[in-house]
Amino acid sequence: MRTSRVPFSSTTSKAASGKARARMSMTAQRRRGQRAYPAGFVYIFLGLYYATGHGTDIRLAQYLFAGLYLLNLLLVFRIYCRTNKVPPYVFFFMCCASYRIHSIFVLRLFNDPVAMAILFLAINLFLEERWSWGCLLFSLAVSVKMNILLFAPGLLFLLLQRFGLLGCIPKLCICALLQVVLGLPFLLVNPLGYLTRSFDLGRQFQFKWTVNWRFLPEEVFQSRAFHAGLLLAHLAGLGLFALHRWHRSKESILALLKDPAKRKHPSPPLTVNNILWEAPQIIFVLFSSNFLGVCCSRSLHYQFYVWYFHTLPYLLWCTPTAKLAHMPKVLLLGVIELCWNTYPSTICSSLSLHICHGLVLLQLWYGTAPPPAPQTPLPSRKPPALSKKAQ
């Protein structure tokens, strides 16, 4: 009797332990030239593999991801409730109007929404001033999908602003230690292979899947010079926002390295035209840091939409909005959604997506500008009135 050929992982699942099979699966991926993921992804999807009868009960997996989708919405709504920035009707579009997001969660079962749900849980902990637990979950999210590192520059800024350099080091150690603990089974076997494949910063993307650079020739899309230009643009954007939009103190940005108690000018509370400190400031720094990375990405695939979909309403409404300006912002959300629902992507859809991203960046830059310094009135030069005696 002829037997059909089955995947390697399913033939060895009965004989190997979970960690050993995960190691062999990653080794097989490397041999086939495929991309491996960090250790957190392996553990979570290994649990899903067993929970769904070795990957046979797809309906159960979809139910689990539907629950994850609802949990993700709950975490996002809890973040937005701390800001009172976004009008309530916008949440309808967030919940019901995105076919692509529903597909990513429930139909495709990607690891991107898993990482983002953990990330939003970490942000909720940051808002509750539980920075150590938040850093632990942030690192866990990174171990599921590397795109969470786009939030890292903003998080580093917030840690320096909140704790200074010496107080920031223990938080960073928490992030690093969790990566070592989760990746230990793989680091003991093949440390170089695990680090280079799981955190592959030089990964080459396929042109046929790009959503944002379809209007470029494929030779330019694959060019290292183009990639270097995007990296420089990303770093420049982060530097500009860190210096002029995130940092509000009158001191130099190097003052962030000092202990907060020893700083001369603490960050002042911002006025109505700006982002207030505490919850909205934390959200603004993290969301804008991620959005800058998305704008400068070497390629965006369809599942990457979940990287910033739930942050777009805040990025659009965190700035002062006149009554007549609400509809253009809703229209902007609709055009972005249309671009992501165009398959395969076209020159028009890619250009439209970049135009929308540019408009969001412009309103973020100008809408959160610090107010001009109040000018002291010049002394009056009118001659003094003569007394009656002088007259």
Side-chain angles (χ1 to χ4, degrees):
M1 181 177 179
R2 187 177 179 180
T3 58
S4 60
R5 190 175 182 180
V6 295
F8 175 79
S9 59
S10 62
T11 59
T12 58
S13 60
K14 294 182 180 179
S17 67
K19 293 183 180 179
R21 200 177 83 258
R23 288 198 298 269
M24 290 186 287
S25 175
M26 292 187 66
T27 303
Q29 284 183 328
R30 287 195 298 269
R31 290 174 180 172
R32 293 194 299 267
Q34 297 177 359
R35 185 177 187 273
Y37 285 100
F41 164 83
V42 177
Y43 298 136
I44 291 174
F45 278 79
L46 187 65
L48 287 172
Y49 176 76
Y50 283 119
T52 57
H54 293 190
T56 58
D57 193 349
I58 304 302
R59 180 62 61 86
L60 176 59
Q62 290 180 310
Y63 286 151
L64 293 174
F65 269 79
L68 177 68
Y69 173 70
L70 296 176
L71 175 62
N72 186 77
L73 282 179
L74 178 64
L75 294 171
V76 171
F77 288 169
R78 194 172 185 275
I79 292 171
Y80 277 77
C81 284
R82 300 291 296 270
T83 66
N84 294 324
K85 294 282 186 180
V86 181
Y89 67 85
V90 177
F91 295 109
F92 169 80
F93 298 98
M94 186 186 296
C95 297
C96 307
S98 179
Y99 163 81
R100 181 62 63 188
I101 292 299
H102 294 162
S103 173
I104 292 170
F105 270 90
V106 182
L107 294 180
R108 308 300 177 182
L109 311 183
F110 284 111
N111 60 330
D112 303 76
V114 178
M116 291 305 299
I118 300 173
L119 182 276
F120 287 131
L121 179 57
I123 293 177
N124 273 276
L125 291 173
F126 294 147
L127 296 177
E128 298 292 338
E129 291 292 322
R130 299 178 181 178
W131 291 92
S132 296
W133 284 106
C135 288
L136 185 72
L137 285 175
F138 181 88
S139 183
L140 178 61
V142 172
S143 75
V144 177
K145 191 67 183 281
M146 196 173 59
N147 72 283
I148 304 300
L149 290 175
L150 296 179
F151 292 88
L155 177 59
L156 178 61
F157 179 90
L158 292 172
L159 290 175
L160 289 173
Q161 192 172 45
R162 181 70 175 80
F163 302 102
L165 179 60
L166 293 180
C168 174
I169 292 176
K171 313 301 180 186
L172 299 179
C173 290
I174 292 174
C175 297
L177 182 61
L178 182 66
Q179 294 298 323
V180 173
V181 171
L182 292 176
L184 192 60
F186 312 106
L187 293 171
L188 293 176
V189 175
N190 187 358
L192 182 61
Y194 173 73
L195 294 176
T196 56
R197 298 294 293 174
S198 297
F199 301 96
D200 186 6
L201 297 176
R203 176 189 175 190
Q204 284 287 99
F205 293 96
Q206 295 183 9
F207 184 67
K208 67 178 182 179
W209 294 116
T210 186
V211 177
N212 57 332
W213 297 114
R214 179 66 63 186
F215 58 90
L216 292 178
E218 187 171 359
E219 296 76 18
V220 176
F221 174 80
Q222 299 290 357
S223 170
R224 292 292 183 183
F226 175 63
H227 300 165
L230 289 175
L231 178 60
L232 290 176
H234 186 196
L235 295 176
L238 289 173
L240 288 172
F241 266 77
L243 288 170
H244 302 290
R245 293 299 178 266
W246 300 348
H247 184 60
R248 298 290 182 170
S249 174
K250 295 180 181 179
E251 285 189 291
S252 167
I253 195 171
L254 296 178
L256 295 176
L257 303 178
K258 300 179 182 179
D259 186 276
K262 298 179 180 179
R263 296 172 190 164
K264 295 180 181 179
H265 303 285
S267 298
L270 305 180
T271 59
V272 177
N273 292 328
N274 296 278
I275 308 302
L276 294 173
W277 173 241
E278 295 183 358
Q281 171 70 1
I282 293 172
I283 298 167
F284 173 71
V285 171
L286 291 174
F287 284 7
S288 58
S289 173
N290 176 65
F291 185 70
L292 287 167
V294 170
C295 292
C296 300
S297 292
R298 288 183 290 131
S299 183
L300 293 175
H301 295 177
Y302 285 95
Q303 67 270 28
F304 297 176
Y305 189 23
V306 77
W307 292 4
Y308 73 121
F309 169 78
H310 295 98
T311 71
L312 283 173
Y314 185 81
L315 294 175
L316 286 170
W317 272 274
C318 68
T319 57
T321 305
K323 291 183 178 180
L324 296 178
H326 285 274
M327 190 53 64
K329 292 185 176 183
V330 174
L331 180 62
L332 199 60
L333 286 178
V335 175
I336 293 175
E337 178 71 22
L338 182 61
C339 294
W340 282 96
N341 283 333
T342 302
Y343 177 80
S345 61
T346 63
I347 293 176
C348 181
S349 66
S350 294
L351 283 173
S352 300
L353 186 62
H354 278 287
I355 292 172
C356 291
H357 287 173
L359 292 174
V360 175
L361 276 179
L362 285 175
Q363 71 95 28
L364 276 179
W365 181 259
Y366 290 105
T368 59
Q375 297 181 354
T376 56
L378 295 175
S380 176
R381 295 191 176 184
K382 291 183 178 180
L386 296 176
S387 62
K388 292 183 179 179
K389 293 183 178 180
Q391 293 176 353

